[in-house]
Amino acid sequence: MSRGLRLAAAGGLAALTVAACATAPAGPAAPPAPGGPPAAPPPAEPPPPAAPRDAPGPATLPGWADEDHLAAFEAWAQTCGVARGAAAERQCRRARDLQRTSRPVTPTLARAYFETGFVVAPAETADGGPGRLTAYFAPEYAARRAPDAEFDAPVLAPPPDWRPGDVLPPRAQIEAAPPGPALAWMRAEDLFFLQIQGSGYLTFEDGGRARAAYAADNGQPFVGIARPMAEQGLLPPDGTSGEAIRAWLAARRGGEARAVMALNPRYIFFRLDADDGGHPAGAANTPLPPRRAIAVDPAHWRYGDLVWIAADGGDLRGARGSYSGLVVALDTGSAIRGPVRADLYMGRGPDAGAEAGAVRHPLRMWRLTPRD
């Protein structure tokens, strides 16, 4: 995910127990993600060879017949330019040629495209068990240009002398003595969640809008607050969704909430960009299509990989029963580690955030490899 986005990805808001999907921006247009370290680059080894024609096809995937093949096709055609390898590039050209010559592309054509162009193979954990799906989103928050009793948390730019790799004081010390003027002012709990996500969108009292993009961090480790809140009896073990945590912090705004937020010493600094109304870019430096993009571990996946996910049995209150479908690997995050681990980008805004905060599901993944 874009660094700004990826931070959230790390564990989604699912429980704030892990660092969000943070990845470093590929450039000025791709802000970084939630408070994690810069995104690791894709592995240097060459892409795998195209799969043999006699390997199983997508029709063998669980739930394939129920997929929205047209929506999956449109997301793939939009983002497949980041895929690498001759076979993947051929399939990308094939998808875009189909868009040009078939007006419109129908669900039947989209399904046939995948079934004739790809084969599938399962990704496996070391012990053969399921992995984990979490989710993240691009938050939208109210902000002020001057502080007041409610909006008293400053959105800060990096210190003037900051350099990549610098280790600065932990969150509590930075909040006690801000190293520079505020770019904007937010509710403290909103800023905390913005820092977990790594980027988001601000709406000011005069109607102005801006994108708060990751600019730097203090070099401190990310510590999730969900587990200690449950251990201290502040929230029930199955009630540590992002929305539940945010509501608790908002109800205790002030010293009590700040003491809990200080359990996470990591602090994110921002820059303000124009809001173009679209979706942020992920680590692959392409805009993330909602519900069709995932953050992955680049040690096991390449940006542009086409992936089938199947996740059932979320254990947080309010969780949707299952998630399955075709997604594209377009982001990464500091807590996204392992061959069967994904963070699903839900979109931007409060509805996306409410759903993302309740995603913590056992996960199975399959790689779709282009046919030779």
Side-chain angles (χ1 to χ4, degrees), residues 97-124:
D97 287 345
L98 189 61
Q99 286 183 316
R100 286 192 292 269
T101 59
S102 301
R103 297 187 180 278
V105 177
T106 65
T108 300
L109 281 175
R111 178 172 179 169
Y113 165 81
F114 291 119
E115 291 182 352
T116 58
F118 296 83
V119 297
V120 302
E124 297 182 349

Side-chain angles (χ1 to χ4, degrees), residues 124-130:
E124 297 182 349
T125 60
D127 62 4

Side-chain angles (χ1 to χ4, degrees), residues 154-356:
V155 179
L156 298 176
D161 57 351
W162 177 86
R163 295 293 181 271
D166 285 355
V167 177
L168 306 179
R171 170 182 300 277
Q173 289 181 242
I174 293 174
E175 290 178 342
L183 303 175
W185 296 86
M186 297 177 64
R187 299 181 181 99
E189 67 275 10
D190 288 350
L191 177 60
F192 182 76
F193 271 70
L194 176 67
Q195 292 177 321
I196 291 171
Q197 295 299 322
S199 73
Y201 299 88
L202 306 182
T203 300
F204 293 92
E205 65 270 39
D206 58 6
R209 296 178 62 85
R211 182 169 189 271
Y214 170 100
D217 60 68
N218 63 346
Q220 299 285 340
F222 178 92
V223 177
I225 65 172
R227 182 173 299 169
M229 290 184 74
E231 291 173 346
Q232 295 174 29
L234 304 178
L235 289 172
D238 65 345
T240 57
S241 69
E243 284 301 298
I245 292 173
R246 186 186 178 284
W248 190 97
L249 294 173
R252 295 159 180 81
R253 191 176 294 139
E256 188 177 2
R258 289 183 185 277
V260 171
M261 292 186 287
L263 296 174
N264 175 22
R266 192 168 188 81
Y267 193 90
I268 305 301
F269 300 96
F270 295 94
R271 68 172 188 270
L272 295 189
D273 297 332
D275 177 7
D276 63 3
H279 292 274
N285 203 24
T286 193
L288 301 169
R291 309 181 79 91
R292 294 290 176 179
I294 56 172
V296 294
D297 183 347
H300 298 277
W301 301 88
R302 291 173 173 77
Y303 300 139
D305 278 352
L306 190 58
V307 185
W308 180 265
I309 60 171
D312 302 292
D315 60 2
L316 291 174
R317 290 181 184 176
R320 175 174 159 178
S322 64
Y323 292 88
S324 67
L326 281 171
V327 293
V328 186
L330 295 173
D331 211 349
T332 190
S334 59
I336 310 303
R337 293 292 178 262
V340 189
R341 177 74 175 92
D343 210 21
L344 179 63
Y345 174 63
M346 290 298 189
R348 57 181 284 184
D351 290 343
E355 184 175 5

